[in-house]
Amino acid sequence: MKDLFDKLKDAGRDARGTFVVLDEDGNEVEAPAGAPGARPAAPRPAAPSAAPASAPTAGSAPGVPAAVAAATVDPEFVQGLQAACQGSKKAAYTQFQTLYSALGAIGDPAQRAQLALSAAQASHGVTPQQVAEAIDDRLAILAAERQAFDKAVQAETDHSIGATQKRIDAAKAEIAKKADEIRQLEATRVELERGIAEARAAIDGNSARFAASYAVVEAELAAERARIAPFITSNAK
């Protein structure tokens, strides 16, 4: 299962664009992209080429989610899971499987299975119930592998995505805060402009009234000045 976890971590590392630097002992350690002295992590050796088999369709495996049915089977995962199942201590299934493979000339699967079960019981004393129990044991091992993998997926998700998601959430919160500040500033601007308009209107009104009043007084004085003008004698020498 370690190989499967390593492959999962590789995928998360690729998603993060992980770089590595050398520590004091010359070992590679992860470093953020762009860090001084960082260089791309050395690529892992490519898996042996194998023609990827298509995943079973939903019709052939009832209850299989559409995303799983549409996925491509990974030969490395298959080999790892099969190897884990082979760790079962119940050998009845292996004995049955050996006999079933030996009866490959029989075309009918049901007849072939029946003959293999009969042969297993005759040669090894293995009952069909024991074969079923051995298969159930392997299914339990398989389920445990799934749980371990799901746990590793969650851990890698938290490591690869969690920190970035927190930064995104913080950025959203900051944007919301700035947006509120902008709204408040906009309201302040509108209020100040309204105050400017009112003050300008008051000043313009006072200026207009002063000009009108000034004209009245000036006209009165001008009229008085004109009235006495004929009676003014020049003192010029």
Side-chain angles (χ1 to χ4, degrees):
M1 196 63 182
K2 181 178 179 299
D3 293 340
L4 304 186
F5 292 159
D6 289 342
K7 188 170 183 179
L8 174 65
K9 290 179 180 179
D10 287 343
R13 192 175 295 116
D14 291 342
R16 296 194 307 273
T18 301
F19 278 54
V20 298
V21 295
L22 298 180
D23 61 15
E24 295 179 354
D25 298 325
N27 299 317
E28 289 186 350
V29 294
E30 294 183 7
R39 59 181 176 81
R44 293 177 61 86
S49 58
S54 297
T57 60
S60 61
V64 175
V68 175
T72 300
V73 172
D74 189 317
E76 290 186 49
F77 283 168
V78 171
Q79 292 172 7
L81 292 171
Q82 288 175 339
C85 291
Q86 288 173 1
S88 173
K89 303 300 182 182
K90 297 189 176 184
Y93 174 67
T94 302
Q95 294 164 346
F96 161 77
Q97 197 175 39
T98 300
L99 293 169
Y100 185 84
S101 299
L103 296 172
I106 299 176
D108 183 10
Q111 183 182 7
R112 183 179 173 187
Q114 184 179 15
L115 290 174
L117 288 171
S118 299
Q121 188 165 10
S123 59
H124 301 290
V126 174
T127 66
Q129 179 62 31
Q130 289 174 320
V131 174
E133 290 173 355
I135 294 175
D136 290 341
D137 187 58
R138 284 161 175 77
L139 287 172
I141 292 173
L142 192 63
E145 292 293 309
R146 176 59 182 268
Q147 291 178 354
F149 188 81
D150 287 346
K151 185 177 180 180
V153 167
Q154 185 58 52
E156 186 61 28
T157 299
D158 293 341
H159 179 61
S160 302
I161 300 174
T164 302
Q165 185 61 51
K166 288 179 180 178
R167 292 180 61 189
I168 292 173
D169 293 341
K172 288 181 178 178
E174 187 66 18
I175 290 171
K177 180 180 177 181
K178 296 297 183 183
D180 186 59
E181 291 178 0
I182 290 172
R183 284 192 294 270
Q184 293 178 7
L185 288 172
E186 181 66 17
T188 300
R189 180 192 65 79
V190 171
E191 185 64 25
L192 291 174
E193 288 183 347
R194 182 183 298 112
I196 288 175
E198 291 174 354
R200 191 182 302 281
I203 291 171
D204 290 346
N206 287 333
S207 296
R209 287 192 295 274
F210 177 83
S213 301
Y214 181 91
V216 169
V217 175
E218 184 183 37
E220 289 176 351
L221 291 174
E224 291 296 330
R225 181 70 169 78
R227 185 179 303 117
I228 66 172
F231 307 104
I232 298 175
T233 59
S234 175
N235 293 325
K237 292 181 181 180

